[in-house]
């Protein structure tokens, strides 16, 4: 843009040096060049304003694509993490229940043995009483 202005000034200066009769033509050319420069400035501004819009659109498209990929990946990882947590909790509860079951089973066996021993002791005591009672009858 600056080189164009320098060119215009050089053309104007050379025309002035050649004579005053060309001044009107030089002024006319300078006016035309100025209009062209202004038109180019307007077009450049349009291009500048258009480029960011296209860049913004591209950026939005890339963001939406990345967001879609990232969100689905994030959701998938959260589901996997949640499943792992639930599985871990369920396995922990199952182990806890198994331990409780084994403990109840041992307690039941122990109580069964104690009850059996108690029944045997009671039977033994009753037999001994009966024998003592029979002996007491024989003694009398």
């Amino acid at each position: 843009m600056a080189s164009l202005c320098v060119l215009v000034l050089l053309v104007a200066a050379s025309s002035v040096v050649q004579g005053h009769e060309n001044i009107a033509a030089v002024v006319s050319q300078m006016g035309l060049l100025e209009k062209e420069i202004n038109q180019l400035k307007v077009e450049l501004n349009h291009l500048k304003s258009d480029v960011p819009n296209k860049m913004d659109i591209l950026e939005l498209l890339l963001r939406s694509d990345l967001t879609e990929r990232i969100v689905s990946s994030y959701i998938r990882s959260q589901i996997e993490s949640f499943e792992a947590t639930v599985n871990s909790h369920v396995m922990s509860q199952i182990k806890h229940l198994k331990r409780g079951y084994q403990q109840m089973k041992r307690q039941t066996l122990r109580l069964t043995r104690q009850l059996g021993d108690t029944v045997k002791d009671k039977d033994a005591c009753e037999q001994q009483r009966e024998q003592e009672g029979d002996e007491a009858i024989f003694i009398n």
Side-chain angles (χ1 to χ4, degrees):
M1 180 108 25
S3 62
L4 187 61
C5 291
V6 171
L7 179 66
V8 168
L9 288 175
L10 287 174
V11 168
S14 69
S15 295
V16 169
V17 170
Q18 288 178 0
H20 294 287
E21 63 274 352
N22 292 333
I23 290 179
V26 169
V27 170
S28 174
Q29 266 187 327
M30 286 178 65
L32 290 173
L33 286 173
E34 188 176 346
K35 285 180 184 177
E36 276 187 57
I37 289 172
N38 288 335
Q39 182 63 31
L40 288 173
K41 283 181 182 178
V42 168
E43 288 178 20
L44 182 63
N45 285 333
H46 284 298
L47 287 174
K48 282 182 182 178
S49 66
D50 194 32
V51 168
N53 288 339
K54 288 180 181 177
M55 294 300 288
D56 290 342
I57 291 170
L58 288 174
E59 184 179 342
L60 287 173
L61 289 172
L62 286 173
R63 279 187 185 177
S64 67
D65 186 44
L66 286 174
T67 301
E68 184 178 318
R69 289 182 194 171
I70 290 171
V71 167
S72 64
S73 174
Y74 175 76
I75 289 172
R76 203 174 318 115
S77 70
Q78 290 299 314
I79 289 171
E80 289 170 0
S81 174
F82 181 71
E83 285 176 347
T85 302
V86 168
N87 288 341
S88 173
H89 182 72
V90 167
M91 292 307 293
S92 175
Q93 290 297 319
I94 288 173
K95 287 178 184 178
H96 178 70
L97 289 171
K98 281 182 178 179
R99 276 181 272 172
Y101 171 74
Q102 292 297 328
Q103 185 179 6
M104 287 176 58
K105 191 175 174 182
R106 285 190 301 272
Q107 287 176 347
T108 303
L109 289 173
R110 190 177 73 235
L111 288 173
T112 302
R113 285 186 200 126
Q114 287 176 349
L115 184 59
D117 291 344
T118 303
V119 169
K120 286 180 187 176
D121 288 345
K122 184 179 176 187
D123 288 343
C125 286
E126 285 179 7
Q127 278 182 346
Q128 189 176 9
R129 282 187 196 156
E130 285 179 11
Q131 284 177 356
E132 288 175 2
D134 289 341
E135 287 176 10
I137 295 177
F138 286 125
I139 298 178
N140 288 335

